[in-house]
Amino acid sequence: MFASVLKIISVVLAIVGLTFIIPILVALSCAEWTVVPAFLIPMLASLAFASVVLILTRRKGQHLSIRASFSVVMLAWTCSSLLGAVPLYFSGSVPDVTSAVFESISGFTTTGATNIEDIEALPRSINLWRCQTHWLGGMGIVALTVALLPILGVGGFQLIKAETTGPDKGKFTPKITTTAKVLWFIYLGMTVLHVLLLKLAGMDLVDSLAHAFSSMGTGGFSMKAASIAAYESPAIDAICSAFMFLSGINFTLFFYLFTGKLSEIRKDTELKVYVTVVLAAGLLVTLVETEAFGSFWKSFRYSFFQVISIITTTGYGTWDYTMFKPASQMVIFILFLIGGCAGSTGGGFKVIRWTVLAKQLHNEIQRMLHPHGIFTIRINDMPGRKDIVYNVAAFFFLYIVLILLVAFAACLAGLDIFTSLTGSLSMVGNVGPAFGLLGPSYSCASLPALAKWAFCLAMLAGRLEFYTMVIYFFPSYWKK
């Protein structure tokens, strides 16, 4: 089993290493000669490591238990983040290892919290790599490996389940490798379209590629210190809003769209709630801020962008939402708690979980009024299983506990309680910006090392939805 785990991790690192080719090409085209070795050396090292491991384990068994699947996913994300930090550190873009690891984990987990103060002073290839980590982590590193190499014949479905977000995880094609390929093909196609539209709207090719990576991965890293606001373009705002919104939807629905299964889309409960929340929050903030902006349409443009950016946990900015009126800030804070849809690249608690809890609350009230009645939640016009409710309840408990623990660690590091709580909520939900000293106008550069490491763990736990990390603390995991 150890051989199978090592083999998969080596392949994952090789795939991530190969993606260094893109920033290397950008570095060469921009004459950033000193940056090339920072990418080239770790790329060659990852390929050499994978080659050696594959040769040494070519005759080893392919068995992978459920327990090992969790280990593979955890190790894959941790090792990929460490590999992604190498170019950041050795290029001199960040001052220390802690900052490099923080930036890389923030990228791969699609959190988008940066601890680099002068982003525009970075080489373009480094900035592109930061955004590229969002794209790789958005759909899932292990899912990409399964799609490209059918995980070398080893338990792909268990690996995908351990990485995929949402309470109900399955496949919409007979083979999990086919499912992974379809999802990544849709993801790639939408990214290409996004790049083309941004290019037509006035961005250059590298900026278009970087921001398409960030939008599709719902991460939020940008080539500009002022984020999307730097371009001062209504067209770019609209394009990014549209693709952030689409990226917050379960990608399975795009498969149904392209295969003509429109009835599956029409009855999707989570999609209905997601659209309703975005429209309601966007219109509410628009109306509250109309007087401040001076016109309804200007308020509409900036309000909806921020609403979509936060609910999808992208974290892009065209306006500092901490300058909104208190009522609007409260709406934004609520969106921090909601997050995107299950099976999307968005983070957060997920729309479907709040929907399940709300429906269960309704059932409990009905049961109080009608003690002998039989009530069940309905999801997608079908009766929901009881285990889904139990799963969501347990997840909610873990979500709150982790937020409080991370906030406590941040307080120990010296942050004030407001910044610690909102920062913890942001990191666990993979949102990026928060309030207080971690608002959209600030960076994480001044954070103490302890706070950065606590936030690193929070970001990984949030992206892998806790169980993949928490499971190691249960004695039953270690028993055969």
Side-chain angles (χ1 to χ4, degrees):
M1 187 171 65
F2 175 76
S4 297
V5 172
L6 185 61
K7 183 184 297 186
I8 297 169
I9 298 303
S10 69
V11 171
V12 170
L13 290 177
I15 291 174
V16 173
L18 278 172
T19 65
F20 285 169
I21 290 175
I22 298 175
I24 286 174
L25 291 176
V26 171
L28 292 174
S29 65
C30 297
E32 296 169 351
W33 312 115
T34 58
V35 180
V36 174
F39 286 106
L40 185 60
I41 294 173
M43 181 183 78
L44 295 177
S46 65
L47 293 175
F49 174 70
S51 299
V52 171
V53 170
L54 291 176
I55 291 172
L56 294 177
T57 61
R58 66 184 183 279
R59 295 181 181 177
K60 302 294 182 181
Q62 299 284 329
H63 175 67
L64 195 68
S65 67
I66 294 177
R67 289 181 177 86
S69 298
F70 286 105
S71 298
V72 165
V73 171
M74 186 61 204
L75 286 170
W77 279 81
T78 303
C79 293
S80 295
S81 297
L82 293 176
L83 178 61
V86 173
L88 299 175
Y89 180 69
F90 284 105
S91 66
S93 300
V94 291
D96 53 74
V97 173
T98 296
S99 298
V101 173
F102 179 93
E103 197 77 11
S104 183
I105 289 178
S106 179
F108 276 103
T109 60
T110 73
T111 305
T114 183
N115 60 177
I116 299 175
E117 292 187 290
D118 193 357
I119 293 172
E120 294 181 40
L122 296 177
R124 301 200 79 196
S125 54
I126 291 293
N127 259 330
L128 178 64
W129 170 243
R130 293 170 63 248
C131 297
Q132 188 177 318
T133 56
H134 286 330
W135 192 78
L136 292 171
M139 188 57 69
I141 303 166
V142 175
L144 176 59
T145 307
V146 172
L148 293 179
L149 295 176
I151 218 59
L152 307 174
V154 180
F157 185 54
Q158 290 299 331
L159 294 173
I160 294 293
K161 284 183 67 177
E163 181 182 61
T164 306
T165 60
D168 194 14
K169 304 168 185 180
K171 50 187 178 181
F172 51 81
T173 63
K175 294 183 178 181
I176 191 63
T177 54
T178 305
T179 298
K181 287 177 183 176
V182 169
L183 289 174
W184 267 95
F185 181 77
I186 294 171
Y187 190 49
L188 177 61
M190 292 175 66
T191 303
V192 171
L193 178 60
H194 194 2
V195 171
L196 293 175
L197 290 176
L198 288 177
K199 187 76 170 62
L200 290 173
M203 280 192 186
D204 64 39
L205 180 59
V206 176
D207 279 27
S208 298
L209 188 60
H211 289 94
F213 283 157
S214 284
S215 297
M216 290 303 302
T218 61
F221 281 158
S222 174
M223 303 284 276
K224 302 292 185 180
S227 190
I228 300 299
Y231 296 95
E232 298 181 344
S233 168
I236 290 175
D237 289 359
I239 292 167
C240 288
S241 293
F243 279 91
M244 286 189 294
F245 176 81
L246 292 174
S247 297
I249 296 173
N250 190 329
F251 272 72
T252 301
L253 298 184
F254 296 120
F255 171 78
Y256 292 143
L257 176 64
F258 297 140
T259 54
K261 298 180 180 179
L262 301 183
S263 61
E264 297 291 333
I265 300 175
R266 283 195 295 269
K267 68 182 184 181
D268 191 85
T269 303
E270 186 179 33
L271 178 63
K272 295 175 185 176
V273 176
Y274 174 68
V275 172
T276 301
V277 170
V278 170
L279 290 176
L283 287 173
L284 182 57
V285 175
T286 296
L287 293 174
V288 171
E289 299 301 322
T290 294
E291 182 181 357
F293 280 110
S295 73
F296 175 84
W297 291 113
K298 186 176 181 181
S299 179
F300 180 89
R301 170 187 169 185
Y302 290 108
S303 298
F304 262 90
F305 187 96
Q306 291 309 136
V307 163
I308 294 172
S309 178
I310 295 301
I311 194 171
T312 60
T313 71
T314 306
Y316 273 156
T318 54
W319 200 269
D320 187 343
Y321 57 74
T322 61
M323 302 300 291
F324 283 170
K325 294 180 180 178
S328 298
Q329 289 189 48
M330 190 64 213
V331 173
I332 295 295
F333 181 76
I334 293 171
L335 296 178
F336 269 75
L337 295 168
I338 296 175
C341 298
S344 71
T345 60
F349 189 75
K350 298 293 185 297
V351 173
I352 188 61
R353 290 194 176 96
W354 286 115
T355 304
V356 168
L357 290 177
K359 286 179 175 289
Q360 186 60 25
L361 172 62
H362 176 266
N363 284 350
E364 294 302 322
I365 293 175
Q366 291 292 96
R367 191 171 287 112
M368 292 175 65
L369 297 173
H370 309 284
H372 301 293
I374 298 175
F375 306 97
T376 183
I377 63 171
R378 294 188 66 83
I379 302 294
N380 301 341
D381 292 337
M382 296 178 64
R385 305 191 313 270
K386 280 189 176 181
D387 62 310
I388 294 294
V389 178
Y390 301 150
N391 179 294
V392 172
F395 187 88
F396 180 76
F397 174 78
L398 276 174
Y399 201 81
I400 298 301
V401 169
L402 184 61
I403 287 172
L404 294 177
L405 287 175
V406 174
F408 180 70
C411 287
L412 285 178
L415 300 182
D416 64 87
I417 189 169
F418 182 60
T419 300
S420 297
L421 276 172
T422 60
S424 174
L425 176 62
S426 178
M427 301 302 165
V428 171
N430 302 132
V431 180
F435 290 85
L437 299 178
L438 297 178
S441 298
Y442 299 88
S443 76
C444 299
S446 60
L447 288 180
L450 175 60
K452 287 185 181 181
W453 285 111
F455 285 160
C456 282
L457 291 174
M459 289 186 285
L460 276 174
R463 175 56 182 84
L464 299 178
E465 298 212 320
F466 312 149
Y467 293 113
T468 302
M469 291 184 68
V470 172
I471 196 171
Y472 300 110
F473 295 95
F474 286 82
S476 56
Y477 173 82
W478 303 100
K479 295 178 182 178
K480 292 186 178 180

